[in-house]
Amino acid sequence: MNSHENIKGAGGLLGISWHDTQWIPILNATNILDYFSERSNPFYDKTCNNEIIKMQRLNPNHLNNMEGIEYILLHVQEPILYVIRKQHRHANGQVTPLTDYYSIAGVVYQAPDLGSIVNSRLMNTINHLQSAFAECLSYTRYHPSKGYSWEFNTKDTTASEDKTTATKKADKEKKEEPSSIFQRQRVDMLLVELSKKFAPRPNVQQLEIVSIKPPSNAPLNEDTVNIKIEGKENNVMIIKQENMHNSIQNQQQRMKPPPEKKPRLIFN
């Protein structure tokens, strides 16, 4: 008995897969059954009708007239998925499905039946329930006068919380690693180059010029206009336009000579 038969007897076909790398690039719907019928495939039964037709080089349509186990291509979703069914054909033409196999990207698996799926889910559920009941029993206490009671160990809970916080802090410290010397030097060089290309402009206060126009009835010519800068208020330069004649009169009034001294007459 070879290793494949040992696997079949142990019922471990649900946990294995098979593939042949030489066939994978050329797989299609016409040669998928030939690929599945390779002798190294543990899912293939060498006593099936497909093997008889293959050895006698008959037409695959003769399967409909034979009795026994056979393999058919059930579903195709090229170029990646092929579903093959193992079934038993009876004398009256009736067919009983036995097992389904699927090939994904050339890797063949056995499809689980409903009983194995339900059994697996029930086993997982029972395992979790048993672990929960065992943990609950560890907290039960019995006293002759008080009876049964619960005693939860707070130290264990605090210790577990401390462990979780410590692991979170360790993860944060690992993430916040300091930068290397190469990274710092490289960043400094980039900053210097950027500062040279985009040098900051000097902070110059812009002055807004406000011109105060004279009244409309006062004619002003280019020869008779005097521009006077008064001052600066809130970064605003005030410029006044004055008449030249009025400004000259004002200057003359300010520059009057001092009054003449009259001699005094003295009488004896």
Side-chain angles (χ1 to χ4, degrees), residues 15-35:
I16 65 171
S17 63
W18 174 84
H19 69 280
D20 190 347
T21 55
Q22 296 179 357
W23 280 82
I24 291 175
I26 58 173
L27 281 179
N28 52 46
T30 58
N31 61 6
I32 187 65
L33 286 176
D34 295 332
Y35 172 65

Side-chain angles (χ1 to χ4, degrees), residues 185-236:
Q185 291 178 353
R186 186 65 180 167
V187 170
D188 293 338
M189 291 172 60
L190 292 173
L191 291 175
V192 171
E193 291 179 0
L194 290 174
S195 62
K196 289 180 181 179
K197 288 182 181 179
F198 306 100
R201 296 180 179 178
N203 189 9
V204 179
Q205 294 182 352
Q206 297 180 355
L207 300 178
E208 296 180 4
I209 299 175
V210 179
S211 102
I212 300 175
K213 294 183 179 180
S216 59
N217 55 4
L220 293 176
N221 297 325
E222 292 181 357
D223 298 334
T224 61
V225 172
N226 182 20
I227 298 174
K228 181 179 179 182
I229 299 173
E230 288 232 337
K232 188 169 61 174
E233 295 180 359
N234 296 328
N235 295 332
V236 177

Side-chain angles (χ1 to χ4, degrees), residues 115-186:
S116 60
I117 293 174
V118 173
N119 188 18
S120 175
R121 298 295 186 269
L122 288 175
M123 290 296 293
N124 289 332
T125 305
I126 292 170
N127 186 19
H128 291 305
L129 288 173
Q130 286 179 349
S131 61
F133 284 130
E135 188 174 358
C136 290
L137 287 173
S138 64
Y139 296 117
T140 57
R141 298 292 182 269
Y142 176 75
H143 193 271
S145 61
K146 297 180 180 179
Y148 288 97
S149 62
W150 298 97
E151 183 178 350
F152 296 99
N153 192 358
T154 56
K155 293 182 180 180
D156 295 339
T157 56
T158 53
S160 62
E161 290 177 357
D162 294 337
K163 286 181 181 179
T164 53
T165 53
T167 52
K168 288 181 181 179
K169 288 181 181 179
D171 294 337
K172 287 182 180 179
E173 290 177 356
K174 288 181 181 179
K175 291 179 182 178
E176 296 176 359
E177 293 180 354
S179 60
S180 62
I181 298 174
F182 172 76
Q183 291 174 346
R184 290 195 292 271
Q185 291 178 353
R186 186 65 180 167

Side-chain angles (χ1 to χ4, degrees), residues 14 29 39-40 60 71 79 126 150 178 185 194 200 204 221 241 255 258 265:
L14 291 174
R39 293 189 175 274
S40 60
Y71 294 92
I126 292 170
W150 298 97
Q185 291 178 353
L194 290 174
V204 179
N221 297 325
Q241 295 177 350
M255 298 175 63
L265 298 176

Side-chain angles (χ1 to χ4, degrees), residues 25-88:
I26 58 173
L27 281 179
N28 52 46
T30 58
N31 61 6
I32 187 65
L33 286 176
D34 295 332
Y35 172 65
F36 189 81
S37 63
E38 284 289 322
R39 293 189 175 274
S40 60
N41 184 7
F43 305 108
Y44 182 68
D45 188 0
K46 299 177 182 61
T47 61
C48 64
N49 295 333
N50 299 76
E51 187 70 16
I52 297 171
I53 288 176
K54 184 178 179 181
M55 292 176 66
Q56 296 179 1
R57 296 181 180 180
L58 299 176
N59 192 346
N61 293 327
H62 286 81
L63 288 173
N64 298 327
N65 301 325
M66 300 176 67
E67 298 179 10
I69 296 173
E70 63 183 18
Y71 294 92
I72 63 168
L73 182 60
L74 183 64
H75 177 72
V76 177
Q77 186 176 346
E78 290 184 338
I80 192 171
L81 177 62
Y82 303 95
V83 179
I84 298 171
R85 171 167 289 180
K86 179 182 180 181
Q87 60 187 9
H88 188 275

